[in-house]
Amino acid sequence: MSDAPNSLTDHPGAGRLQHAPADHPPVKRAKIGVLIANLGTPDNYDYWSMRRYLNEFLSDKRVIDYAAWKWQPLLQLIILSKRPFTSGANYKLIWNHDKGESPLMTITKDQTEALRARMQAQYGGEVQVEFCMRYGNPATKKVVRQMVADGCEKILFFPLYPQYAGATSATANDQFFRALMEEKYQPAARTVPAYFDHPQYVEALAQSIERVWPTIEQEPEVLVASYHGMPKRYLLEGDPYHCQCQKSTRLLSERLSWETGKIHTTFQSVFGSEEWLRPYTVEHVAELAKSGIKRIAVVAPAFAADCIETLEEIEGEIREAFEENGGESFTYIPCLNDDAAHMDALAAIVSENLRGWIE
């Protein structure tokens, strides 16, 4: 091959083909990859699609850390015989039938396109943006393999969980690292840490509330910040999630300049008989109604995109618990999704974590 410069020489890793023999396999132009990740979604809401998804999710030792000999018989013989039917029915209620996918999938695709546009505007073709899911499709390993094939010699992995938890951020990172283990030419890698206290994220969250608040006929007496729950034992074992949720609420309250007690921190999606972080959202909103609170709003700061836990659980079970106990006005404030301020915040976080790799 000629020693003359080629189109690769202006890019990271560019010169490696200049002296290669003619039969050397082709090598893509070197790029930096940004891979955003969310929890995942079933491919459909039928029994077998739900069973495959739930089996992968509930078999994750980061999610359910019981001994396999105890947990797997219960999961395979009892839980996965019944739960795919009920979970499938819930997914059917919120399914994006026009696109044949869950709302989480639709929103994550929109977020990816929005982030891709921002990276293109800032870095041109130097940065490739993709997305993956921890459970279901597109699988992390498959996307990493494709990004390596596309020439990504460095990958920034970004789990879209504002607050860190072992059952969310850590298991997403674990799967990313497993994917790297299978690559012959392993890219350099970084992971993005929790971003619950990033000023632009807090600002985007506050703005989403400020947009909705004036549209409510009568101002809510309480804003409930409902975070996904986890077993209390995980907190006692050192998981920082609970503390980061509490700080998220405090930072939001300070940004809104609201009086103490206006925002309540609660936890939803309790599973199994073990005690989880309290107060439980469904119980707390019922108690608020019983105490005479007639108007509340609910926001879900732990979710980067609306999903089954927000569109079905909050809008269904949690709303019903409030209204059945005397509540009169229930407002759900959507997740940040692909809101411009949210995407600006995520782009800023990506740029900060790319420092040293690209200017």
Side-chain angles (χ1 to χ4, degrees), residues 36 38 99-116 129-131 133 137-138 160 305 338 343:
I36 63 174
N38 214 317
K99 295 189 176 182
E101 60 192 22
S102 73
L104 177 63
M105 180 65 75
T106 302
I107 294 165
T108 304
K109 288 178 179 178
D110 292 342
Q111 291 173 325
T112 303
E113 286 300 321
L115 185 59
R116 187 175 288 148
V129 179
E130 305 293 344
F131 80 95
M133 299 295 185
N137 296 305
L160 292 185
D338 63 339
M343 297 314 304

Side-chain angles (χ1 to χ4, degrees), residues 3 14 24 32 44 83 88 106 111 129 133 148-149 164 166 169 194 210 212 231-232 255 268 281 307 318 353:
D3 288 343
H24 191 286
I32 294 171
N44 211 320
R83 188 160 178 177
T106 302
Q111 291 173 325
V129 179
M133 299 295 185
V148 171
Y164 172 95
S169 312
E210 290 174 332
V212 172
K232 182 179 179 180
R255 162 55 183 79
Q268 64 181 84
T281 304
C307 54
I318 292 169
N353 282 273

Side-chain angles (χ1 to χ4, degrees), residues 40-353:
T41 170
D43 295 326
N44 211 320
Y45 50 80
D46 62 278
Y47 174 83
W48 289 108
S49 296
M50 290 303 311
R51 183 176 178 115
R52 284 193 299 272
Y53 173 74
L54 291 171
N55 183 49
E56 184 181 10
F57 175 46
L58 296 175
S59 293
D60 186 346
K61 294 287 287 184
R62 288 278 196 181
V63 176
I64 306 291
D65 64 354
Y66 301 146
W69 66 265
K70 179 192 297 185
W71 174 242
Q72 282 298 321
L74 177 63
L75 176 64
Q76 301 299 329
L77 299 177
I78 298 176
I79 295 172
L80 292 181
S81 295
K82 300 178 180 180
R83 188 160 178 177
F85 290 111
T86 56
S87 294
N90 290 335
Y91 266 98
K92 186 177 181 180
L93 293 173
I94 66 166
W95 201 253
N96 185 340
H97 294 280
D98 291 339
K99 295 189 176 182
E101 60 192 22
S102 73
L104 177 63
M105 180 65 75
T106 302
I107 294 165
T108 304
K109 288 178 179 178
D110 292 342
Q111 291 173 325
T112 303
E113 286 300 321
L115 185 59
R116 187 175 288 148
R118 284 163 171 77
M119 294 297 101
Q120 175 68 28
Q122 187 168 357
Y123 302 116
E126 298 289 331
V127 176
Q128 176 175 331
V129 179
E130 305 293 344
F131 80 95
C132 66
M133 299 295 185
R134 171 59 183 91
Y135 313 105
N137 296 305
T140 306
K141 289 184 180 181
K142 183 177 181 180
V143 179
V144 168
R145 173 65 51 87
Q146 186 59 55
M147 293 179 78
V148 171
D150 289 343
C152 293
E153 295 184 357
K154 301 173 181 177
I155 298 178
L156 177 68
F157 186 69
F158 191 173
L160 292 185
Y161 305 109
Q163 301 82 18
Y164 172 95
T168 54
S169 312
T171 189
N173 288 337
D174 289 347
Q175 194 72 350
F176 175 57
F177 298 142
R178 291 188 194 101
L180 296 181
M181 290 172 65
E182 297 185 6
E183 292 305 314
K184 182 70 69 176
Y185 183 14
Q186 191 179 68
R190 290 176 178 173
T191 60
V192 177
Y195 56 96
F196 67 96
D197 56 354
H198 192 282
Q200 283 185 248
Y201 166 73
V202 176
E203 179 64 25
L205 188 60
Q207 287 181 17
S208 74
I209 294 166
E210 290 174 332
R211 280 195 302 272
V212 172
W213 217 250
T215 70
I216 304 172
E217 188 173 349
Q218 287 185 287
E219 181 176 315
E221 299 161 85
V222 169
L223 174 65
V224 176
S226 181
Y227 298 84
H228 198 289
M230 70 162 50
K232 182 179 179 180
R233 173 171 52 88
Y234 291 11
L235 164 65
L236 301 178
E237 291 171 350
D239 195 301
Y241 178 72
H242 179 264
C243 300
Q244 292 185 3
C245 291
Q246 296 288 354
K247 186 173 180 180
S248 294
T249 300
R250 176 174 62 78
L251 292 174
L252 178 61
S253 181
E254 290 173 356
R255 162 55 183 79
L256 293 170
S257 299
W258 285 1
E259 67 274 14
T260 302
K262 180 77 170 181
I263 308 179
H264 296 195
T265 298
T266 64
F267 299 91
Q268 64 181 84
S269 307
V270 176
F271 176 76
S273 58
E274 186 173 0
E275 183 179 2
W276 282 41
L277 298 176
R278 290 182 179 271
Y280 300 155
T281 304
V282 68
E283 294 180 358
H284 189 72
V285 299
E287 289 301 319
L288 286 175
K290 291 176 183 177
S291 71
I293 299 295
K294 299 298 183 183
R295 304 181 307 279
I296 67 170
V298 179
V299 67
F303 300 90
D306 276 305
C307 54
I308 191 74
E309 285 86 358
T310 63
L311 299 176
E312 194 283 324
E313 186 178 359
I314 291 179
E315 285 279 46
E317 179 187 3
I318 292 169
R319 174 188 289 274
E320 290 171 5
F322 180 67
E323 293 176 347
E324 289 175 358
N325 286 279
E328 296 176 357
S329 174
F330 182 100
T331 302
Y332 169 61
I333 299 173
C335 291
L336 294 177
N337 298 325
D338 63 339
D339 172 76
H342 184 216
M343 297 314 304
D344 286 345
L346 297 184
I349 293 166
V350 167
S351 295
E352 290 166 11
N353 282 273

